Amino acid sequence: MPEISPALYRAGEGEPLVLIHGFTATWRCWLPVLGELVPRFEVIAPTLHGHDGGSPLPKSEHPHSISVAADYLEEHLDNLGVDTAHLAGNSLGGALALELAKRGRARSVVGISPAGGIRPDDAAAAAKVIKVFSRMQTTTTKSSKILPKVMARPGLRRLALRDVMTRGHQVPAAEAIGLARSSVRCEIVEDVYEVIRSGNSHLTDLDKIDVPTLITWGSKDRILPIDSFSPRLRAEIPGVEFRIHPGVGHTPMWDDPGLIATTIGDWASAHASTPQAPASAAGDPAAAAAV
C-alpha cells in the first residue's frame, strides 16, 4: 500500500527501487524525481535513523559510521519486507547503497556523489567536509527567524543553497525552508564529525561489490569534490561505470530532475529481471502523488 509520512515514501509497482538520501537530509530530497520513477518501480524512500522525521537513534557506544548506519537501514528494509532492491543514493546515501551492495542487498546501484571514497590519510579533505557542513549548520541556525523571507526570493534561495546545488531557485520556497530546518534537526551531526575526524569515514572492501554499479558526479560539487572523493571508487569497484554530469552540484535532484530520474531509472531497468524500455521511449510518466 502507498505510504507518505515524514519517515517514509512508498508508492508504485514493479521491482523495488530504494532511494537513500544524504547526510542531514530527508526522503523529500527525492521529490523532483518521483514522478518519473513511480510509474516504473515500487519506489521506497526512507528517512534515515537520526534524521528529521526518521526513527530516533538508538543509544549506542559505537560512533555513527557508515557501517552502523547501514545496519539500521538494513534492519529497516527487513521490517518493510524488502530483501534485495535496486539502490540509488546521494552522498551518505550513496555510501550506504555501496555498503548494502557488499552485503548482498542490491540488484544494482547508482551512487550520486557518494560519500566513502575519501582516502584514509586525506585529513585536509576531511576537514573541508566538516567546515562546509558546520558553516551551513551555523548559518541556518542563526537565520532561522528570517528563513521564510530569504527562501521567498529565488535569488536569495539560490545563494542560500549554493553549497548543495547550483539551481536552488528551482526549489519551491516551502521545500527550501523545510530542507534547511530539517538539516539542523539531524541528531547525528556531531557523531558523523567524530567519525570523519577519526579517519574512519571511508568505505572498505569495495572489491566485494558484484552488482552493476554506476557512479555519477556533478561537476560543480562543492561538498565532495570529484578529484578528492571519486578516485578510490573508480579504481576499486569492479566494473564500475563513471559519469560526470556537467553544471550540477552535490545534490542534483533539483538541479536537473529529468537527468537524475532518467539516470536512475534507466540503470535499474537495464539490470532488472525483465528489462524495461528506457524513459525516453516510455512516454510521459504520470506525476507522483502530491506531497
Side-chain angles (χ1 to χ4, degrees):
M1 293 293 291
E3 178 180 344
I4 302 174
S5 72
L8 180 69
Y9 176 94
R10 188 173 194 174
E13 297 181 356
E15 294 206 8
L17 168 64
V18 177
L19 304 178
I20 314 169
H21 66 77
F23 178 46
T24 78
T26 73
W27 73 258
R28 296 184 69 86
C29 71
W30 299 105
L31 281 175
V33 304
L34 295 178
E36 290 196 32
L37 294 176
V38 168
R40 305 175 71 183
F41 304 95
E42 180 190 17
V43 177
I44 302 156
T47 294
L48 298 172
H49 280 71
H51 290 71
D52 187 31
S55 299
L57 197 64
K59 291 184 179 181
S60 173
E61 296 179 357
H62 302 288
H64 201 78
S65 63
I66 291 172
S67 180
V68 170
D71 290 342
Y72 293 139
L73 178 55
E74 194 168 16
E75 182 179 6
H76 193 183
L77 294 179
D78 289 342
N79 293 336
L80 293 172
V82 178
D83 181 17
T84 63
H86 302 284
L87 306 179
N90 173 229
S91 194
L92 171 61
L96 294 177
L98 295 170
E99 179 67 23
L100 290 185
K102 288 162 43 181
R103 303 182 185 193
R105 302 299 294 260
R107 303 182 188 187
S108 69
V109 171
V110 176
I112 303 169
S113 291
I118 190 172
R119 296 188 302 273
D121 59 349
D122 196 343
K128 288 180 181 178
V129 173
I130 294 174
K131 182 177 180 180
V132 172
F133 274 103
S134 295
R135 183 181 69 240
M136 290 192 293
Q137 293 268 309
T138 299
T139 301
T140 301
T141 300
K142 288 183 176 179
S143 62
S144 59
K145 292 183 179 180
I146 63 170
L147 272 177
K149 291 183 178 180
V150 171
M151 298 305 189
R153 300 176 60 180
L156 290 179
R157 198 157 65 242
R158 181 171 183 163
L159 183 63
L161 299 173
R162 67 189 182 281
D163 284 322
V164 290
M165 60 188 76
T166 59
R167 301 166 192 163
H169 60 286
Q170 297 185 165
V171 184
E175 283 299 326
I177 293 168
L179 185 157
R181 288 177 172 167
S182 292
S183 70
V184 296
R185 293 173 185 155
C186 180
E187 298 177 17
I188 67 169
V189 171
E190 293 301 327
D191 212 22
V192 169
Y193 290 171
E194 179 184 343
V195 172
I196 295 173
R197 291 189 189 101
S198 73
N200 293 316
S201 62
H202 61 287
L203 287 162
T204 61
D205 300 322
L206 291 167
D207 60 318
K208 292 183 179 179
I209 296 173
D210 62 356
V211 296
T213 300
L214 169 65
I215 302 295
T216 76
W217 229 281
S219 66
K220 301 295 185 180
D221 192 326
R222 298 174 61 155
I223 293 179
L224 302 181
I226 299 173
D227 291 346
S228 296
F229 290 87
S230 71
R232 283 191 58 242
L233 304 179
R234 299 174 71 173
E236 297 179 27
I237 299 173
V240 67
E241 182 170 328
F242 185 82
R243 301 177 191 171
I244 295 176
H245 288 156
V248 302
H250 180 67
T251 306
M253 290 78 84
W254 286 105
D255 286 339
D256 195 334
L259 172 66
I260 301 306
T262 299
T263 298
I264 294 171
D266 287 357
W267 187 261
S269 293
H271 300 100
S273 56
T274 304
Q276 305 170 345
S280 58
D284 185 22
V291 289

